[in-house]
Amino acid sequence: MPPFGLLHVRAWVSVFSQLLRPSGLVCIREVHFHSQVSEAVLTSQLKPHQEKSNFIIKTPKGTRDLSPQQMVVREKILDMVVGCFKRHGAKRLDTPAFELKEMLTEKYGEDSGLIYDLKDQGGELLSLRYDLTVPFARYLAMNKVKKMKRYQVGKVWRRESPTIVQGRYREFCQCDFDIAGQFDPMIPDAECLKIMCEILSGLQLGDFLIKVNDRRILDGLLAVCGVPESKFHAICSSIDKLDKISWNDVRHEMVAKKGLAPEVADRIGDYVQCHGGVSLVEEMFQDSRLSQNKQALEGLGDLKLLFEYLTLFGIAEKISFDLSLARGLDYYTGVIYEAVLLQTPAQAEESFNTSGQKIRTTETQVFVATPQKNFLHERLKLISELWDAGIKAELLYKNNPKLLTQLHYCEHMGIPLVVIIGEQELKEGVIKLRSVASREEVAIKRENLVAEIQKTLSES
Amino acid sequence: MPPFGLLHVRAWVSVFSQLLRPSGLVCIREVHFHSQVSEAVLTSQLKPHQEKSNFIIKTPKGTRDLSPQQMVVREKILDMVVGCFKRHGAKRLDTPAFELKEMLTEKYGEDSGLIYDLKDQGGELLSLRYDLTVPFARYLAMNKVKKMKRYQVGKVWRRESPTIVQGRYREFCQCDFDIAGQFDPMIPDAECLKIMCEILSGLQLGDFLIKVNDRRILDGLLAVCGVPESKFHAICSSIDKLDKISWNDVRHEMVAKKGLAPEVADRIGDYVQCHGGVSLVEEMFQDSRLSQNKQALEGLGDLKLLFEYLTLFGIAEKISFDLSLARGLDYYTGVIYEAVLLQTPAQAEESFNTSGQKIRTTETQVFVATPQKNFLHERLKLISELWDAGIKAELLYKNNPKLLTQLHYCEHMGIPLVVIIGEQELKEGVIKLRSVASREEVAIKRENLVAEIQKTLSES
């Protein structure tokens, strides 16, 4: 690889609240820009790595870069998700990538081993956040906030293994919407389910279903089936596998590995293989065993109310009461839900991909070109006017590029318009405006340049 | 602190490229939603920490949460910055938060001690990224990309000490715009400076100046003044302090601490206290000593060309050739630049704050209220219609809230419109639309609800 120039502008943006001022006031404290050309320095520093030893230039295990193509898709998805969160009146929060290690300890049950710890370099012991939930709870406790509807979008890190083969990355993005506070039952839950439906419909991934259960029903169920309380956790984690393995395999795990009596397992099996709509909730209310359990009855009561609200929201048919849904983390205590796509990823992918259409990675509207030599100054003046008018514009960083090279660049990048300036145009006080698709060219007056381009862009 | 409910929807969005397919294809592989009410679990888990030992609920040293108010300001800033990057045709890239430790080693000179390492938990040795430049260079090398105009926005981590007092955080956000590739000289540099001007003007932080220098001029200057090459680095770092301490103090450091002969320091002083426009470049060309140095002449030639382009861009008067600008990191080799605000942060803050105006932290357009009991069902049906029409709407999560509480909420949150439904309205097939500011109410037909609201919103 030949040396290359690396030229960059970097802005550090630092926003902080003025603690001594009335709340709500914020200001920018620092904006740093610095930039440089570093001819080949970084690459030459990377190169010796490759030559000596077995060092390979790669991203860490379980992580990846997102290319410009992937970023376009991700931005679209995030815009849609965040748009939905805003439609529901949520405020945005951000928290640091790492927390005090002690803050994360004991929050994730058996998953705690997957937390990335930072090296002890003197000072506090830190860990990368494992989700956005514990940081949110920490924020609420720290600021004594009792009520908050917030969303947060950010990366979280989990040392999953094996990783990418199953599509699980060690670094991934979570979009959380939480409603914290004490409210009348099931109204916020119903809104959360509405949000899930809006997002999944909006993403156009194909048909989906949202499984709903309640930890109190699950606990009540285990109790009435005769599972000792000490085994609740272990048995729950077996039940949670029912979406991946058969009941026979789950039953075997319960009996052979977790020491459950076969008849207890069979009783559990009668329940956890059930799923359905509000009628299943009614049915479980009548169940002779389950209706004896106070916890289960509370859970069922809430689910009934939930279905009432979901019907008003017009989404009841998207929701399935599924007694096998358990969820892994320790902090789930009441209603739990999880969405599943009813298509395979391959099918969903197809519907998302709009038949392999080429994705533009830039938004450039106008390219500034010349057919002649020694027109760099004119091109620079011209493009500067476009930028100042808010028009997205590019040119080639060459003193004397060939016209064909410039037009090819536009076609390759999907830039719709070209502004052409040459000797003839300069003499006549015009510029040529060319449509890349139709190859039509019109001469417009130099002084009307911006207005004409804005008109053309607004019409297309 | 009483227990509180925590209810949440979380979406994991996982986007990845299908490597076996033509480039440009991307798809969503997984969208996970899961949600739960975890009544007080997290807070009760946080509580014992506070009670036992000295454990305080806090963010790690040098980091902070961004509150909803701060996030509103940050989003505005980032939108402006990213808008500018897009106007200049850049593609967006994302890289992992951490890199192989070996990748970061020896890239940052004496700053390398500030890198956060991850704990060795088996597997690769990792470090949090220190900037977005080295990951970009790694991306280019790994993918054998020779030319790319990209931007990246993301957090970086530096174990700075002391920290917050000087407004330096250990976690902060960088917005990088880089042009990688080999081009005719100074055209991309001029564009980078144009971008800096556009962003700083756009942020309305008050007057600013961009200092420009070239590492080749600096090196040439040190050579002709008689600094031994082994001391270049140390002397550069002294010179770089001239924006913070006086020339006398810098001179003292050079002579007393870094062992420079006094007359050599004085010769340096003659140069590094100079700053000016293109005329200073011309002056340096004529300088009897500096014009003897090949490197310095190259740097001066480029700066002259740069000023030519900056004049065409109409920003030459914002740029100051400053012979004291050195920049810290080792990877700077050619033209370097850095912007400074000419106002104090306090003044800039004022101009940014638009006189302490209250910042809205949500975008809610309509609130759904009722003056009567037992109208939850009607409110839910109504708000569902609004959400489905893309209208940003909220209600209180209470079965029977008081009308006054509901109206107060709107005033407090700055929600402009209220939709009111009660017995009378239900009977007449209308709803009342109330302006929070004017307290005016109009009755509109129930079936025209969405259309009327959209009309009212578009007019305001």
Side-chain angles (χ1 to χ4, degrees), chain B residues 411 415-418 433-442 456:
Chain B
E411 284 182 19
I415 302 172
L417 288 178
V418 189
L433 190 58
R434 179 188 169 108
S435 155
V436 175
S438 70
R439 302 188 178 189
E440 278 173 64
E441 293 183 353
V442 286
T456 309

Side-chain angles (χ1 to χ4, degrees), chain A residues 2 4 75 160 166 185 295 334 365 370 379 410-411 419 449:
Chain A
F4 57 87
E75 295 279 287
E160 304 266 10
Q166 302 164 317
Q295 266 201 306
Q365 299 164 314
T370 183
R379 283 154 63 214
C410 296
E411 283 182 18
V419 154
L449 174 68

Side-chain angles (χ1 to χ4, degrees), chain B residues 231 235 238 247-266:
Chain B
K231 286 191 174 159
I235 298 303
S238 296
W247 165 246
N248 272 342
D249 292 343
V250 170
R251 186 184 180 283
H252 179 260
E253 185 178 297
M254 287 177 174
V255 175
K257 288 194 195 156
K258 300 188 174 170
L260 216 59
E263 64 276 16
V264 173
D266 288 335

